[in-house]
Amino acid sequence: MSGHRRNIRAIAEICEVSPATVSRVLNNKPDVSDQIRKKILDAIKEHNYSPRLSVSQTEILGVTLEYSRAFSSPYVSAIFESMEDTAFDLGYDLLILRNEKLRRLVDDYSIFLRRKMLSGIIILLSKIEDTFPVDIAQAGFPHMVIGNRFDPPVNWIGGDCYTGMYEATRYLISLGHSRIAYIRHSPLYWDNQQRVRGYRDALEQANIPFAENMVRELVGEDVIAAAYNTLNNLFYSCPGITALITPNWDMLGIYECLREHGLRIPDDISVVALDDSPDMEHASPSITTVAQRIQQMGEFAVREVVKQIESPEEAAKIRRVVLPTELIIRESTRPLNSGVITASAAHN
């Protein structure tokens, strides 16, 4: 009889159930009561039983995403491209998982991930309230979180989104703008909360009152339509807007709304996009952005997970890395009540 069966039989005897019941729990089958499931999982943890990869590991890393349209985000697609290139160089492949599934999981996380033939995992787009990254870290499974923040033992890397937003808002204020609108993504994510803080602090330090109605959340699966509707509502409810800060992947909706209102960038409204991309650089006019070191995040996350997999000493280290952002000034911003200026003139 194989060692795998002997281990299952031992767990079954401890829990006074059949080996088939243990197998159903290990395979996350629904036809086991919560009480029996918990009893078996507790015994597995207590006896340090791992049903897979006890002899050899795979060269597969998991990457979690939040929703099906995530790759329409330039931020996500750029990070994933960087991770994929780095993993290939190190001899690893990537497998995509959904954060929603991990949130619903009742099994031990390390067992679930090893059952997926994973040796490590990179967690993208986790929410502030999520607990599964902590559970994965506490199980000792090789991991990195990108963008969110957790206490040890969770490893994470992210951009300094507070400072990036603060500097962008201060820059617009220095150009004479005080009616600065901000379109954001969900406040359930760390980066978005920090950006609101940076925006608010910059306004208040310039003695400009913070107005809740000048900050609007994008809602809806169709990002272009959501951006159009959000900006359209802003114009009707908050007259006098002269500057806008918005995510870069909703710009098509922004352009459409501005055209319908007869507004030109930067003549009538200055625009700053959050996160840089080639589209922002080559747009006409080119778009001022707050750039994160996206490629560096993806490369670092993969390399650090592989280190944890291949070295016990590296696995014991805690990684907490904040990368600086950069305000890239281009043609989409200009001083209020003045002629159009070029990006190069803005630097002088």
Side-chain angles (χ1 to χ4, degrees), residues 300-321:
F300 180 90
V302 171
R303 290 190 182 279
E304 294 304 308
V305 169
V306 171
K307 286 180 183 178
Q308 295 170 55
I309 294 168
E310 299 181 351
S311 168
E313 292 78 13
E314 290 291 335
K317 296 179 181 178
I318 301 298
R319 296 153 174 86
R320 300 162 67 83
V321 180

Side-chain angles (χ1 to χ4, degrees), residues 95-112:
L95 175 69
I96 296 175
L97 303 172
R98 294 284 290 269
N99 285 336
E100 295 96 323
K101 186 165 188 176
L102 291 174
R103 290 190 188 106
R104 295 195 299 265
L105 191 66
V106 296
D107 287 353
D108 179 272
Y109 283 94
S110 63
I111 293 175
F112 170 79

Side-chain angles (χ1 to χ4, degrees), residues 179-181 183 213-214 216 227-244 253-265 268-271:
R179 297 287 291 168
I180 304 169
I183 296 177
N213 64 347
M214 292 281 278
R216 298 295 174 90
Y228 173 90
N229 293 330
T230 302
L231 183 56
N232 197 49
N233 290 335
L234 269 167
F235 283 143
Y236 283 113
S237 60
C238 304
I241 293 170
T242 63
L244 173 68
I254 299 299
Y255 292 147
E256 183 180 351
C257 186
L258 291 177
R259 279 195 299 270
E260 290 202 5
H261 283 266
L263 300 175
R264 297 168 299 168
I265 303 172
D268 305 305
I269 187 168
S270 288
V271 175

Side-chain angles (χ1 to χ4, degrees), residues 7 46 52 169 178 180 262 287 298 323:
N7 280 332
E46 181 182 350
R52 300 194 73 104
T169 309
S178 60
I180 304 169
I287 305 298
L323 297 177

Side-chain angles (χ1 to χ4, degrees), residues 4 7-8 26 44 49-54 110-111 114-115:
H4 173 59
N7 280 332
I8 278 189
L26 290 173
I44 287 171
Y49 167 53
S50 179
R52 300 194 73 104
L53 304 180
S54 58
S110 63
I111 293 175
R114 287 189 172 91
R115 194 164 59 239

Side-chain angles (χ1 to χ4, degrees), residues 170 173 178 200-210:
R170 289 289 296 180
I173 292 169
S178 60
R200 182 171 192 155
D201 286 353
L203 291 175
E204 291 180 348
Q205 288 178 23
N207 295 316
I208 299 172
F210 171 78

Side-chain angles (χ1 to χ4, degrees), residues 39 45 64 86 92 101 104 107 116 128 141 153 157 168 176 197-198 216 241 257 266 268 280 290 296 332:
K39 186 176 182 180
K45 289 181 182 180
T64 75
T86 306
Y92 282 77
K101 186 165 188 176
R104 295 195 299 265
D107 287 353
K116 293 291 185 182
I128 295 171
F141 196 79
I157 182 172
R197 285 185 54 237
R216 298 295 174 90
I241 293 170
C257 186
D268 305 305
M280 300 297 98
V290 178
Q296 188 175 342
S332 65

